[in-house]
Amino acid sequence: MQDSRPFLVHGQWKQGAVAAPVVDPFTGKSVAQVAQAGDSDVEEAVVSTSGSAAVMAQLPGHARYNILQQMAALLYRRRDECAQTITAEAGKPITDAKREVSRAIQTFTVAAEESRRIAGEVVPLDWTPGFDTHLGVLRRFPIGPILGITPFNFPLNLVAHKVAPALAAGNPILIKPAPQTPLTALLLGEIALEAGVPPGGLNVVPCDNVLAERMVIDPRFKLLSFTGSVSVGWMLKAKCGKKKVTLELGGNAGVVIEPDADLDLAAQRCAAGGFGYAGQTCISVQRVFVHQAVVDAFTTKLLMHVARLKLGDPAEETTTIGPLIDQAAAQRVEEWIGEAVADGARVLLGGRRTGSLVEATVLGNVKPEMKVSCREVFGPVVTVTPYRQLSEAVALLNQSDFGLQAGIFTQDINKIFYAFRHLEVGAVLANEIPTFRADHMPYGGVKDSGLGREGVRAAIEDMTEPRMLIMNLKEPANPSEKSV
């Protein structure tokens, strides 16, 4: 049995009363024991986070910039360790884990720059007669203590997308990491301490869901930033009362392939977007709508690309599709495939499960009401559906409770803007898959996919409050006198 890894509260490492195992999804073996916070530990962490708000708010811009740059530098220095930790606890293929570390470095670098660009504005107030001498100045101030709850699928970069903008804005933040993947968040806590984050500026507290819900309703937190499942996200929002909430939830991302599309590019990108990290991303390509004139040619190209993807050990550089996070997740995906086939869907490729591994699966002849169509598979499954008119494809894609991102492949700018106007999503990708995300762009969705936007600058706006200073600037009593 491994020694228990402590958690971080107010710059100190604590062992807690109990520990929980972290399990390698590929081997099923325990890779570490992580201490779990109890009632008193959570209270201490909340007091620490709220108590450090004044210190964090007083950090000047140059100090926040330097801390964030140092965190980026330390992540780079420990990039191999971080990637190996991600692979061990999340089962993410090592090449994808290395890419995630690089993205986290970029996230902290962008946050450092944005910490020096939290701008306000001058607001003229002399539009109304009688207000001739009035002038307004608007500035943004830190909102205060933030609670961040993060998922397993990006255990570093999705934590970074909460921590980096919080620190850039001058807020303390408490991170409750996913129970499957706490090790990477704790490693980031080590880096934060070394970078000079004040005690309480970042607390990392693994705990059970009951204690997490208690923190959610705690009025000492001014904002909840949650990334995770749809059901949990909206349930927590309902408990938040007057607290600000940002939610980044699920999706079943769709792609439209028009007859004039570059089919080779579209097939290659859909294969990458549908099966990277075994489809365990909320913007994974799940539904592909292909014009009937090219559906056979596109499907053939897609199957060729997918057949080349290697399934297996995530520690191997050549692996594209590793395990799902646990066997229960893999069994659920297998069941959904079986239900679809029983209802008339055809397996064009894959469809089998071995332990926590599920083969890259392409399904045809699906119906909108099948789970593989209307719900988030969160596994290596892509469906292909033909259509006759672009308007029909857009309607089919919109026939979803989700609305995170969508893609369209076409050479016609008018079709691109038609999709932009009519798709009910947070972002439309032209000649690109919806699995694309640049870490500085506003990112989020509509409908069940969430509330608010992430991306460093967008998150900083949510993590600050605008405040107006209104000045009545009278003329000096004696204009001829010069001020000293």
Side-chain angles (χ1 to χ4, degrees), residues 443-459:
Y443 171 77
V446 297
K447 299 192 281 190
D448 270 356
S449 287
L451 182 69
R453 293 294 182 268
E454 285 198 338
V456 176
R457 184 175 179 181

Side-chain angles (χ1 to χ4, degrees), residues 33-269:
Q33 297 283 322
V34 171
Q36 301 295 294
D39 286 353
S40 61
D41 301 312
V42 166
E43 176 61 21
E44 182 182 354
V46 176
V47 169
S48 167
T49 307
S50 59
S52 66
V55 172
M56 294 297 296
Q58 290 167 8
L59 285 176
H62 66 82
R64 287 178 272 125
Y65 172 86
N66 288 334
I67 287 171
L68 289 161
Q69 283 282 36
Q70 183 68 4
M71 290 186 73
L74 290 168
L75 271 173
Y76 181 80
R77 190 180 307 165
R78 301 177 68 174
R79 61 192 183 279
D80 290 338
E81 178 188 1
C82 290
Q84 290 162 7
T85 302
I86 291 170
T87 296
E89 67 175 351
K92 179 169 288 190
I94 189 64
T95 51
D96 290 334
K98 290 178 179 179
R99 191 176 302 115
E100 179 175 349
V101 177
S102 296
R103 289 183 59 189
I105 293 167
Q106 172 76 352
T107 300
F108 279 100
T109 302
V110 170
E113 296 297 333
E114 292 293 349
S115 71
R116 303 194 294 188
R117 292 200 291 261
I118 303 177
E121 62 179 307
V122 174
V123 183
L125 299 174
D126 58 353
W127 296 5
T128 304
F131 293 169
D132 298 17
T133 60
H134 288 71
L135 182 70
V137 176
L138 183 143
R139 281 192 61 191
R140 303 195 74 90
F141 290 85
I143 194 173
I146 294 170
L147 173 62
I149 300 179
T150 57
F152 72 81
N153 57 333
F154 286 84
L156 178 59
N157 199 38
L158 289 185
V159 174
H161 268 288
K162 301 184 189 309
V163 173
L167 300 181
N171 295 304
I173 182 167
L174 189 155
I175 290 291
K176 188 272 181 192
Q180 303 96 326
T181 57
L183 297 174
T184 312
L186 292 168
L187 197 157
L188 184 64
E190 290 181 24
I191 288 170
L193 288 184
E194 188 175 349
V197 174
L202 172 61
N203 293 315
V204 183
V205 184
C207 64
D208 64 31
N209 290 338
V210 173
L211 293 177
E213 285 188 35
R214 188 178 304 171
M215 288 191 286
V216 164
I217 65 176
D218 195 309
R220 288 171 288 186
F221 288 109
K222 304 305 178 186
L223 182 145
L224 167 67
S225 178
F226 175 87
T227 303
S229 72
V230 171
S231 58
V232 175
W234 292 113
M235 179 272 290
L236 293 179
K237 181 183 180 298
K239 295 175 179 282
C240 277
K242 299 177 181 179
K243 188 184 282 89
K244 287 181 72 173
V245 178
T246 60
L247 301 175
E248 200 280 280
L249 306 176
N252 57 358
V255 179
V256 175
I257 314 292
E258 277 287 283
D260 63 343
D262 181 335
L263 297 185
D264 289 315
L265 172 66
Q268 183 273 325
R269 295 299 293 144

Side-chain angles (χ1 to χ4, degrees), residues 256-259 289-295 385-394 396 415:
V256 175
I257 314 292
E258 277 287 283
F289 302 98
V290 190
H291 194 279
Q292 63 179 6
V294 294
V295 65
T385 302
Y387 67 89
R388 292 182 175 83
Q389 300 290 334
L390 178 58
S391 58
E392 177 191 354
V394 169
L396 286 168
K415 293 176 180 178

Side-chain angles (χ1 to χ4, degrees), residues 416-430:
I416 290 171
F417 272 88
Y418 179 87
F420 189 39
R421 288 193 302 270
H422 294 285
L423 286 172
E424 298 167 356
V425 291
V428 175
L429 289 295

Side-chain angles (χ1 to χ4, degrees), residues 261-337:
D262 181 335
L263 297 185
D264 289 315
L265 172 66
Q268 183 273 325
R269 295 299 293 144
C270 285
F275 301 104
Y277 189 36
Q280 294 177 116
T281 69
C282 50
I283 45 178
S284 176
V285 172
Q286 181 172 329
R287 299 176 297 151
V288 183
F289 302 98
V290 190
H291 194 279
Q292 63 179 6
V294 294
V295 65
D296 291 339
F298 170 82
T299 303
T300 298
K301 293 177 183 292
L302 175 66
L303 294 176
M304 289 176 60
H305 282 289
V306 176
R308 296 190 188 108
L309 302 177
K310 180 181 175 183
L311 174 73
D313 186 348
E316 296 181 3
E317 294 278 352
T318 55
T319 296
T320 300
I321 306 171
L324 274 74
I325 191 63
D326 54 36
Q327 284 211 36
Q331 289 168 353
R332 176 188 56 77
V333 172
E334 181 185 40
E335 289 170 4
W336 286 17
I337 294 170

